Amino acid sequence: MPHLYRLHPELEATLPHLALGTSPTPVRRLDALDTACKGGAEIWLKDDSVFGDGGWGGNKVRKLEWLLPDALRQRRTTIVTVGGLGTNWGLATALYGREHGLKTVLALIDQPEDDHVRAQLKRLRDSGAELHFTHSKARTILSAPYLLARHFTGFRPPYFLPAGGSSAVGAIGYVEAALELAEQVRAGELPEPSHIVIPVGSGGTAAGLSLGLRLAGLQTHVVGVVVNDTLRLDEPTLTGLAGRCAKLLRARGARIPENISPAGNLDIVTEYLGPGYGYPMPEAATAQALSADREHMTLEPVYTAKAMAALLDMNAHGRFGDGPVVYLNTNGPR
């Protein structure tokens, strides 16, 4: 049973959930990385790369646990969404949607192509999704009415999702993850972290964690490392998404006090983007190699390696104080 149902039992009847992964995801101290970096706060890992029992894993699957049943509840048959050429989100949606009878239509925006993106694009072609290469954000916006109109089923529209599944419903996946982390802290599996570091590609993970940590009673700050310059991902925007998620939970019956606000525990950093979304960054390549060599941890260059580069640099400069700091690995290749 989701932790959210235990905290607010009334949601079980109003907010459907579809189990797509096994929880809790493991936590462990990254001792070898601590040793290699010499100083700063203790570094811990919450490994969401193992979340997801289907053809893809990671943070997108946590969102889909709430998004797919919401689409099914509304009797939709098609999901229309958007992502880059190497979108993890689009692939996860196509694979898990197909398992539950939902067709996925993807509008794909250009990004720098490397081996990682080319491999992911092949997986997308094999996933059964209907792909539309819209190339730019502007052309995607112009194409949206056509894609939506084309995929009506009778009088029922397709289920539209923003990039990354970062809607009020999608953010619930990381409200749940925050409650899960709090339970692991209470069980003594790790100390309460002062900070948790994540990449921010569309904002739903950061917004959900921000709200969920408040609901769980933890003082942990979310450090969101922006890796996407094609979307507005500043603190007010993500705090607004967290607020809409809280409003949705209240509307479904959760007794969340009005004085619980997601604001104040979210820090957004932008200096680790490099030349732009999807472009390589030497510091990220170093962090990726170091994580693989010292901790046998698989990161990718677009999101997770940049977030790790940020964590290591910020920790070296004492920005996490006494810590500990948790790195949330959102990458989930299969």
Side-chain angles (χ1 to χ4, degrees):
M1 175 186 288
H3 290 82
L4 194 56
Y5 288 174
R6 298 175 199 168
L7 185 64
H8 297 286
E10 55 276 5
L11 291 175
E12 190 169 2
T14 62
L15 187 68
H17 173 261
L18 181 62
L20 301 176
T22 303
S23 59
T25 56
V27 293
R28 63 181 173 93
R29 185 174 173 186
L30 298 178
D31 294 295
L33 210 53
D34 271 348
T35 301
C37 296
K38 299 178 182 177
E42 288 182 4
I43 304 172
W44 286 72
L45 170 70
K46 183 162 175 62
D47 193 6
D48 268 17
S49 72
V50 302
F51 192 83
D53 297 334
W56 199 252
N59 66 328
K60 310 308 184 188
V61 187
R62 284 200 187 263
K63 297 177 183 181
L64 289 168
E65 287 200 318
W66 304 90
L67 290 166
L68 293 184
D70 190 56
L72 293 168
R73 180 183 65 86
Q74 297 181 40
R75 297 172 59 195
R76 307 299 174 89
T77 60
T78 303
I79 293 172
V80 174
T81 191
V82 62
L85 291 176
T87 173
N88 294 330
W89 157 246
L91 181 61
T93 303
L95 294 174
Y96 287 92
R98 185 176 65 187
E99 288 180 6
H100 295 279
L102 291 164
K103 176 184 177 180
T104 297
V105 177
L106 288 172
L108 296 177
I109 297 173
D110 291 344
Q111 70 179 91
E113 291 192 42
D114 56 13
D115 289 343
H116 166 75
V117 171
R118 283 186 285 272
Q120 194 72 336
L121 188 54
K122 183 181 185 306
R123 296 184 189 104
L124 286 169
R125 293 185 190 278
D126 293 341
S127 71
E130 181 179 313
L131 306 183
H132 294 265
F133 295 88
T134 50
H135 300 294
S136 69
K137 183 177 178 180
R139 287 183 61 180
T140 301
I141 293 169
L142 290 173
S143 300
Y146 163 76
L147 292 177
L148 292 170
R150 179 178 173 178
H151 292 95
F152 266 69
T153 303
F155 294 102
R156 205 171 296 279
Y159 190 78
F160 176 75
L161 285 170
S166 291
S167 65
V169 175
I172 293 170
Y174 272 87
V175 174
E176 174 66 20
L179 298 176
E180 178 183 301
L181 177 67
E183 182 62 30
Q184 290 173 304
V185 169
R186 285 191 289 270
E189 296 180 42
L190 78 163
E192 180 175 345
S194 64
H195 299 81
I196 182 166
V197 176
I198 57 166
V200 176
S202 60
T205 300
L209 279 176
S210 173
L211 174 60
L213 290 167
R214 289 289 199 209
L215 297 180
L218 296 185
Q219 300 303 307
T220 307
H221 276 244
V222 178
V223 178
V225 180
V226 173
V227 297
N228 186 355
D229 54 355
T230 69
L231 299 173
R232 184 176 174 182
L233 295 170
D234 55 15
E235 189 174 324
T237 300
L238 300 191
T239 299
L241 177 55
R244 291 194 297 278
C245 184
K247 184 178 180 180
L248 171 66
L249 292 173
R250 289 189 185 102
R252 298 293 177 92
R255 294 185 296 272
I256 299 174
E258 291 293 336
N259 64 351
I260 287 187
S261 166
N265 67 342
L266 176 61
D267 303 316
I268 298 300
V269 296
T270 59
E271 58 264 42
Y272 303 95
L273 174 65
Y277 175 67
Y279 284 91
M281 181 179 172
E283 297 87 345
T286 299
Q288 185 178 9
L290 190 62
S291 298
D293 179 56
R294 298 299 180 103
E295 296 290 356
H296 309 290
M297 182 165 47
T298 301
L299 307 181
E300 44 68 46
V302 179
Y303 298 92
T304 49
K306 288 185 178 181
M308 179 59 83
L311 185 154
L312 296 177
D313 182 59
M314 294 173 73
N315 201 29
H317 288 87
R319 290 175 65 178
F320 302 124
D322 294 332
V325 57
V326 168
Y327 176 77
L328 179 69
N329 187 9
T330 57
N331 185 37
R334 295 288 185 266

